[in-house]
Amino acid sequence: MVKLTVDELDLLKRIRDKEELRPYFFQKVKGLKWFDSLCEAGYFNPDQNPQPVSAREEGYVQIPFWPALEYLVSASSEFHSAENKPFAEKFIEIIRSVTNYAIEHKISNFRTWWQFAKIIQNIPSELIQESDIALIDYWLNDPYERGLIVEEIGVKWLAALLESNNDHCKRLAVKLLDIIYRLEFHQSEHEFGNEKEVRLRFRHWDARKVTEAVAGKAGKELGIEVIKILQARLESVLAKLDNDRWTSIWRPAIEDHEQNHSVSDAKEIILEVFRDSVLAYIEVSPEASRAYVEELLRCKKSQSCLQIG
């Protein structure tokens, strides 16, 4: 534990006594030397994560910000130094304990998950367990906002994991891809009756940014393992919606083309991430991919898969 100066200890006493000083303090304070003292004071305890509160306008809520997280995000940038690995271990434990507490008490705060999504990118990958991906899955179920989280996790962190020549990073990447492209099926009602529809857990433009950032890299780095996951996801969508036989109507061209009618449909995005990962896999592994392409050409389950093949 780094020993703080008399003036620094006095500053900690002042923010302990005057809560209104804390947001400014956590915004300005820098360096891991403060961490142990702040942690001992309880500023990172799970019950400090603020819950949504009712807004003045009926039916609306406000999502408070947890000021201490500004310090954690800033301090986590020092994890590139090997000597700071013990601190990184403590940071990931904070992420685990806060998220598990939220799961247990059925609460959520997207602002907290957003900051955690920034911190986790700085933590050495060997400290992150595959089971930790379930925590991120919970973040992506936040009832109020998910786009900020998926941009950090998908566009930035997942892309970085795919660029790492490390088997553990690749296993984390597979699990992240699985939860990012997880689908929800809904029954929508309209004047002509009920209709099944499929949705991703975040807005289509967020999903498209992730797809553009990672689809090709996933095919190149993860190969057949992730392609099989995406193929199963696509086949599941088409089977449940029962519109694979109408592929030529809702998706006239498998490639990007102006004649395609919709760019915001979840099934379109799943088709595109599958297509781009397959093409990238073929590009880097032409021999290894031959058997899979032949399998697609023989595919009877899905007209869309056959078109890609």
Side-chain angles (χ1 to χ4, degrees):
M1 181 173 178
V2 178
K3 190 173 182 179
L4 299 177
T5 67
V6 173
D7 288 342
E8 289 168 340
L9 291 172
D10 181 63
L11 182 55
L12 290 182
K13 182 179 182 301
R14 278 189 282 157
I15 67 165
R16 182 194 66 195
D17 296 339
K18 295 185 177 182
E19 185 175 348
E20 65 272 18
L21 296 177
R22 294 175 194 172
Y24 184 78
F25 169 81
F26 285 118
Q27 184 181 36
K28 295 298 182 180
V29 70
K30 307 294 180 185
L32 288 167
K33 69 175 184 177
W34 295 89
F35 175 79
D36 288 325
S37 295
L38 293 170
C39 193
E40 285 183 4
Y43 291 114
F44 312 130
N45 287 354
D47 59 2
Q48 295 298 299
N49 180 25
Q51 300 184 34
V53 295
S54 298
R56 290 182 179 179
E57 190 173 352
E58 186 177 352
Y60 289 83
V61 297
Q62 293 178 335
I63 312 298
F65 182 70
W66 188 0
L69 295 188
E70 284 202 86
Y71 164 73
L72 292 181
V73 172
S74 172
S76 71
S77 65
E78 298 182 27
F79 293 160
H80 62 274
S81 175
E83 66 184 16
N84 290 329
K85 185 175 179 180
F87 286 103
E89 293 172 343
K90 295 176 183 178
F91 275 50
I92 190 64
E93 283 303 323
I94 289 173
I95 290 175
R96 289 170 184 150
S97 63
V98 171
T99 307
N100 284 323
Y101 180 90
I103 293 171
E104 180 183 353
H105 291 83
K106 296 181 173 58
I107 60 176
S108 193
N109 184 321
F110 77 83
R111 299 186 191 279
T112 296
W113 312 147
W114 181 28
Q115 301 309 308
F116 280 179
K118 296 176 183 178
I119 294 168
I120 204 168
Q121 297 174 60
N122 292 328
I123 294 174
S125 59
E126 66 268 20
L127 299 181
I128 300 171
Q129 302 169 8
E130 292 182 49
S131 58
D132 291 329
I133 304 304
L135 307 179
I136 299 170
D137 193 36
Y138 183 75
W139 304 347
L140 289 175
N141 279 329
D142 187 273
Y144 300 110
E145 170 60 39
R146 302 168 184 179
L148 294 170
I149 303 162
V150 81
E151 181 167 0
E152 293 293 334
I153 293 297
V155 177
K156 298 178 182 178
W157 190 40
L158 176 54
L161 289 173
L162 289 169
E163 292 173 356
S164 175
N165 188 23
N166 179 292
D167 288 342
H168 180 62
C169 287
K170 290 180 179 180
R171 289 194 296 272
L172 293 176
V174 169
K175 289 190 172 294
L176 278 178
L177 277 160
D178 184 41
I179 66 166
I180 286 172
Y181 289 102
R182 187 163 295 166
L183 298 167
E184 297 176 343
F185 292 90
H186 299 268
Q187 198 80 17
S188 61
E189 297 182 4
H190 51 74
E191 58 181 317
F192 301 108
N194 295 334
E195 182 181 18
K196 292 179 183 177
E197 62 178 45
V198 60
R199 303 173 194 162
L200 290 160
R201 292 187 288 178
F202 33 86
R203 296 175 293 262
H204 67 85
W205 54 84
D206 295 315
R208 195 161 296 281
K209 283 194 290 186
V210 175
T211 298
E212 290 172 355
V214 306
K217 292 177 182 177
K220 289 178 180 178
E221 300 299 329
L222 304 177
I224 196 67
E225 181 179 9
V226 75
I227 286 170
K228 287 287 190 179
I229 291 173
L230 294 170
Q231 180 181 348
R233 200 65 46 90
L234 176 61
E235 290 175 348
S236 171
V237 170
L238 299 177
K240 289 189 178 182
L241 298 184
D242 192 28
N243 63 1
D244 184 50
R245 55 184 169 169
W246 307 113
T247 300
S248 59
I249 296 177
W250 63 263
R251 182 78 186 200
I254 291 296
E255 68 275 14
D256 293 328
H257 196 280
E258 61 183 9
Q259 66 182 306
N260 293 328
H261 307 303
S262 172
V263 296
S264 61
D265 195 294
K267 65 179 180 293
E268 296 264 0
I269 292 171
I270 293 296
L271 176 60
E272 289 170 12
V273 68
F274 172 58
R275 175 201 66 194
D276 291 349
S277 62
V278 169
L279 292 176
Y281 176 49
I282 293 170
E283 180 185 345
V284 297
S285 305
E287 292 302 319
S289 63
R290 184 185 301 275
Y292 179 68
V293 173
E294 291 174 351
E295 178 186 328
L296 283 181
L297 291 171
R298 294 192 300 269
C299 181
K300 295 182 180 179
K301 289 183 180 180
S302 167
Q303 183 66 26
S304 298
C305 292
L306 178 58
Q307 283 182 265
I308 291 175

